[in-house]
Amino acid sequence: MKKNDKTQILSASRRDILKYSGATAATILAAPWVNRAWADTVELNMLSWYGLAEPDMVEEFEAENNVKFKPKYYAGGDNMLAALAQSPAGTFDIIHTDAEYARILIARGDLIDEMDPSDYPFGDMQHEDFKNFPGHWADGKLYSVICRFGHLGVSYNTEAVTHDEAMSYNVFWDSKLTGKVGHFDWHLPSLGEISLLNGNNDPSPFNIDQAAWEAVQAKTLSLKPQVKGFFDYGGTFSSLKNGEILACVGIGDWVTGVVAADGAAVDSVVPDEGGIQWTESYSIVSTSTKKDMANKYIQYALSPAGQVRSANMKAYPGFCVTNAGQEALIKATPDEARRTGQMPGMSNNPITLINEGRIHYRDTPKQQSLEDWNEFWSEYKNA
Amino acid sequence: MSDDTASALAKPATTATKREPWSAYALTWRVPLLIWQFLFFVVPLCFLIYLSFWLVKNYRMIPGFDVVNWVKMYSKGYFWDAYYLTFAMAALATVVTTIVAFPCAYALSFKVSETTRRWAVFFLIIPFFTSYLVRIYAWQVIIAENGVINGLLSYIGLGPFIMLNTKFGTLIGYMALCMPLVVILQTFSMANVDRNLIEAAHNLGCGRLRTVFTVIVPLAKVGLIIGAVFCFILSFGDFVSPYYLGGSRPPTLSILIIDTTKSGQQWPKSAVVAVTMIATLLVVAFAAVATAYRKPK
């Protein structure tokens, strides 16, 4: 009897064959409708920093607009330019970029489209600078729209460094941090912070003459005995979490916010010498065939709902750029709004810090070449 | 041994070295490999060399022929620091891995059953099923200051020892990458050594250690050297270990390539570093292979 049962399981009866054949035929016959449903889904190709096209950012927009995001992630503006150079025209619809690289995209002439300012809530921007952000406009025409930003300063382990100590970049030279200081492995934020420590805040830590540049190099080299290593995002995250480093140069809440949410005792402050602002923006690629949908997404990203998602982005949080976004954030996730100072009247409110003149927008070097800064960075790492 | 016997023994060797005439059959088997190598090694290499002479203006690469990238890169102290460090670390990893792998491979070749050897080789292959990057992240947890090793050592009152983000950390990463491969190559080469020759050495009064160094090592020389060469090649070009276990402090050539591209699309300068690395590896590989196949005088 058992033997017969086993045979039954292994061999299909004539009825089974008919049943499964029918199901297969129905599937094949239904294929055109299935294909049509898929065809209706718009695929938006986005070139961006990691996380911007993850479900926590785009799932709502995808569901409402029958869109599917297809991201290509990069790390660093130069990688973004390389990805663009290596991809045939039409590969991307939206570019999410650091603000200082938006200027380079515009300079290329044919890469990104002019945008209509009336499509975006420029009247509701939290700061006047955001309405006319450097490098986003050319000849009075808009090419790139600010969508989020964050501040870089002193990031530290709160069990090893006090808030007061962290209020100066000099803490990196503290003897108790010898061999415990990490660097985010990118020259612009690290050298920008040391430039600020040297007092180069007028007009900008990135706009310094040769003497000031040499002083920045000397000061940076003096930090080397304190340095544990040079890390990317993942390395910075794990080093702060497992206590390998107790302070880090060149990062801010965009890293420590995530590490703290993971249970580590870390925080970031903008020290008295000032901080650097990273700014991110969206542009529409000239060769895109889905410009309307790309534009619609950028509008969504700047809407209160989009801003709340951006401020809570799992990969790395960013501040809201619109007043409506901040209000929605306070309602939706008040703890996150409080933690990041995004509430009116808080001393670490990002807009207050900008208004106090303590924030400088990250930029490429003005009086030296990017190559000069990078070559020094390589020398420093080898020192 | 008479002269006739000697010449008779020598004959097959002479015949074996005689070059076979080209035939359609032989070409059929050889051509795909040649085409593959040409398309995916020679052509990209030529382009890489050509790229090293291009210029970068306003973040755009301009095709041209200018030696400025070579001059600039070779005149930088940090380039040569990175070069010597990369070479020294790869050489150290090769020596340490070869020495550490040898007893293991010896045991697998001569001291265990065929079944055990098969299982051992299977387990040596298993690490390759996992991403190297993931394995290196696992090593971070193991060798961190608050990691597994220091945690265990603390029970006997030792440590903590700083291993992560040091050259020692880099070396561990290199060994994690290369050790299984080197053990497998050494095992296969020693397992093929003629047991009769080992027995003959013992019968003639040769001790165990002397047999290893005068009989087994010379006979397994090719496999041992090939294993070492693979270790050197993999370590020399590795980016992951020096970055994630060595803390990029100081950087190796592979890290220097990444750093250079971050300075405004300086791919031509990165190409200079890459071509230098390839040239070094070619010299090392050819020298090693020549040594491996050199006939004893």
Side-chain angles (χ1 to χ4, degrees):
Chain A
M1 185 66 192
K2 272 187 176 175
K3 199 176 178 183
N4 284 345
D5 286 348
K6 201 169 185 181
T7 314
Q8 280 285 320
I9 291 164
L10 291 172
S11 63
S13 66
R14 195 178 302 155
R15 187 173 295 173
D16 286 338
I17 291 170
L18 285 171
K19 189 167 71 183
Y20 292 124
S21 301
T24 309
T27 307
I28 293 167
L29 287 171
W33 282 272
V34 175
N35 280 339
R36 204 169 297 153
W38 282 343
D40 286 340
T41 302
V42 177
E43 198 174 72
L44 269 184
N45 296 285
M46 181 150 83
L47 181 61
S48 74
W49 276 92
Y50 178 75
L52 269 292
E54 291 300 294
D56 63 305
M57 284 293 285
V58 299
E59 63 187 353
E60 185 181 52
F61 183 82
E62 283 185 333
E64 286 175 357
N65 297 280
N66 198 18
V67 166
K68 183 72 193 161
F69 273 83
K70 196 177 166 195
K72 178 174 174 59
Y73 293 129
Y74 64 79
D78 281 288
N79 285 346
M80 181 268 293
L81 293 174
L84 271 177
Q86 290 156 7
S87 307
T91 303
F92 302 111
D93 302 299
I94 301 181
I95 300 177
H96 163 262
T97 178
D98 291 314
E100 62 267 37
Y101 283 86
R103 179 184 293 123
I104 296 164
L105 294 178
I106 296 171
R108 293 275 180 98
D110 53 354
L111 272 179
I112 51 178
D113 260 12
E114 183 188 343
M115 303 164 95
D116 183 354
S118 66
D119 283 347
Y120 313 107
F122 276 104
D124 189 41
M125 286 290 173
Q126 287 214 67
H127 197 277
E128 278 300 306
D129 286 358
F130 298 174
K131 294 176 184 173
N132 192 8
F133 203 81
H136 284 188
W137 298 72
D139 302 326
K141 293 174 184 170
L142 176 71
Y143 288 91
S144 205
V145 178
I146 182 172
C147 60
R148 58 206 307 264
F149 68 104
H151 292 159
L152 312 174
V154 173
S155 298
Y156 61 102
N157 184 312
T158 53
E159 289 167 358
V161 177
T162 66
H163 179 271
D164 286 349
E165 288 171 328
M167 284 307 286
S168 171
Y169 290 117
N170 282 315
V171 72
F172 295 134
W173 280 261
D174 193 314
S175 58
K176 72 179 174 186
L177 295 182
T178 301
K180 289 288 183 182
V181 175
H183 267 292
F184 184 62
D185 194 5
W186 189 21
H187 51 93
L188 278 185
S190 286
L191 296 178
E193 288 188 357
I194 291 170
S195 183
L196 278 175
L197 175 62
N198 276 8
N200 302 317
N201 53 17
D202 188 16
S204 147
F206 302 96
N207 191 354
I208 55 176
D209 62 20
Q210 191 57 27
W213 168 231
E214 281 167 14
V216 167
Q217 293 178 61
K219 187 69 182 172
T220 308
L221 285 168
S222 73
L223 182 61
K224 192 64 194 287
Q226 298 287 98
V227 174
K228 179 76 171 179
F230 299 81
F231 309 102
D232 64 359
Y233 175 75
T236 312
F237 187 99
S238 58
S239 300
L240 277 169
K241 188 165 188 324
N242 63 26
E244 278 288 313
I245 58 172
L246 299 177
C248 191
V249 192
I251 60 167
D253 188 66
W254 72 281
V255 178
T256 55
V258 185
V259 184
D262 207 35
V266 293
D267 199 4
S268 292
V269 291
V270 172
D272 293 333
E273 295 92 351
I276 309 280
Q277 176 171 315
W278 57 264
T279 314
E280 292 173 352
S281 51
Y282 283 118
S283 297
I284 299 172
V285 182
S286 299
T287 52
S288 168
T289 53
K290 302 148 202 164
K291 289 177 186 174
D292 288 343
M293 191 54 80
N295 192 37
K296 195 172 182 183
Y297 178 69
I298 298 172
Q299 288 173 326
Y300 168 79
L302 286 163
S303 72
Q307 288 285 288
V308 171
R309 284 181 180 271
S310 164
N312 288 282
M313 193 170 98
K314 285 178 184 162
Y316 63 102
F319 298 138
C320 298
V321 294
T322 63
N323 293 309
Q326 183 173 294
E327 284 163 23
L329 177 71
I330 293 168
K331 276 185 195 154
T333 51
D335 288 344
E336 179 63 10
R338 194 172 301 108
R339 189 189 71 76
T340 53
Q342 294 187 85
M343 281 187 167
M346 290 187 75
S347 61
N348 61 336
N349 181 287
I351 302 302
T352 306
L353 292 173
I354 297 173
N355 288 334
E356 287 173 352
R358 289 173 60 196
I359 297 299
H360 301 270
Y361 302 136
R362 193 177 64 204
D363 208 341
T364 47
K366 293 296 160 207
Q367 298 187 44
Q368 298 79 36
S369 70
L370 195 59
E371 206 180 338
D372 290 336
W373 280 46
N374 191 62
E375 278 186 0
F376 169 69
W377 190 245
S378 293
E379 278 172 27
Y380 173 57
K381 286 170 77 172
N382 267 295
Chain B
M1 194 186 281
S2 68
D3 288 351
D4 288 349
T5 319
S7 59
L9 282 171
K11 242 181 185 174
T14 316
T15 315
T17 53
K18 195 181 278 181
R19 193 178 290 274
E20 298 231 347
W22 288 90
S23 69
Y25 177 78
L27 272 178
T28 307
W29 290 105
R30 287 171 189 167
V31 164
L33 179 67
L34 291 173
I35 291 174
W36 179 274
Q37 283 293 91
F38 180 76
L39 287 179
F40 298 106
F41 178 68
V42 177
V43 172
L45 180 63
C46 290
F47 180 71
L48 191 69
I49 294 169
Y50 179 43
L51 182 69
S52 70
F53 295 99
W54 288 20
L55 295 172
V56 176
K57 281 177 186 165
N58 294 326
Y59 298 91
R60 274 192 154 158
M61 284 189 283
I62 313 290
F65 196 87
D66 198 320
V67 294
V68 66
N69 299 312
W70 287 86
V71 172
K72 271 195 174 177
M73 219 61 206
Y74 277 23
S75 62
K76 298 291 178 193
Y78 64 78
F79 170 80
W80 291 110
D81 289 344
Y83 183 88
Y84 296 135
L85 173 81
T86 311
F87 197 96
M89 287 300 293
L92 181 65
T94 304
V95 171
V96 173
T97 306
T98 303
I99 291 170
V100 174
F102 188 82
C104 176
Y106 180 85
L108 290 177
S109 305
F110 300 112
K111 300 293 178 189
V112 300
S113 67
E114 185 70 24
T115 311
T116 310
R117 189 189 307 154
R118 277 192 204 135
W119 275 107
V121 169
F122 174 70
F123 284 118
L124 284 165
I125 291 171
I126 279 183
F128 294 106
F129 295 178
T130 321
S131 155
Y132 173 45
L133 187 60
V134 173
R135 280 185 281 149
I136 290 302
Y137 269 117
W139 273 105
Q140 279 192 346
V141 177
I142 295 168
I143 64 172
E145 213 170 313
N146 302 325
V148 178
I149 291 177
N150 277 318
L152 292 173
L153 289 173
S154 68
Y155 285 116
I156 51 172
L158 293 176
F161 295 102
I162 295 171
M163 295 176 277
L164 187 59
N165 300 316
T166 63
K167 291 193 184 82
F168 179 71
T170 304
L171 188 63
I172 286 178
Y174 286 162
M175 290 177 73
L177 172 68
C178 304
M179 186 68 81
L181 182 66
V182 174
V183 172
I184 289 171
L185 288 170
Q186 288 189 354
T187 302
F188 286 153
S189 66
M190 283 196 277
N192 285 323
V193 169
D194 189 345
R195 300 293 198 274
N196 292 326
L197 294 174
I198 299 170
E199 222 167 275
H202 288 319
N203 290 340
L204 291 168
C206 192
R208 284 179 184 278
L209 208 58
R210 196 172 168 205
T211 305
V212 169
F213 288 108
T214 58
V215 179
I216 296 172
V217 169
L219 287 171
K221 186 177 72 173
V222 174
L224 298 178
I225 291 178
I226 296 297
V229 168
F230 267 107
C231 183
F232 185 87
I233 291 171
L234 292 173
S235 304
F236 193 77
D238 184 31
F239 166 79
V240 175
S241 287
Y243 201 87
Y244 292 101
L245 296 181
S248 183
R249 194 180 64 103
T252 55
L253 287 176
S254 48
I255 296 173
L256 187 61
I257 288 178
I258 301 288
D259 285 352
T260 308
T261 60
K262 285 181 191 168
S263 62
Q265 296 289 289
Q266 289 295 342
W267 293 96
K269 278 190 179 173
S270 298
V272 171
V273 182
V275 170
T276 307
M277 290 177 78
I278 291 170
T280 305
L281 289 176
L282 283 174
V283 169
V284 169
F286 276 121
V289 170
T291 308
Y293 288 98
R294 187 183 296 147
K295 294 267 187 284
K297 287 177 184 173

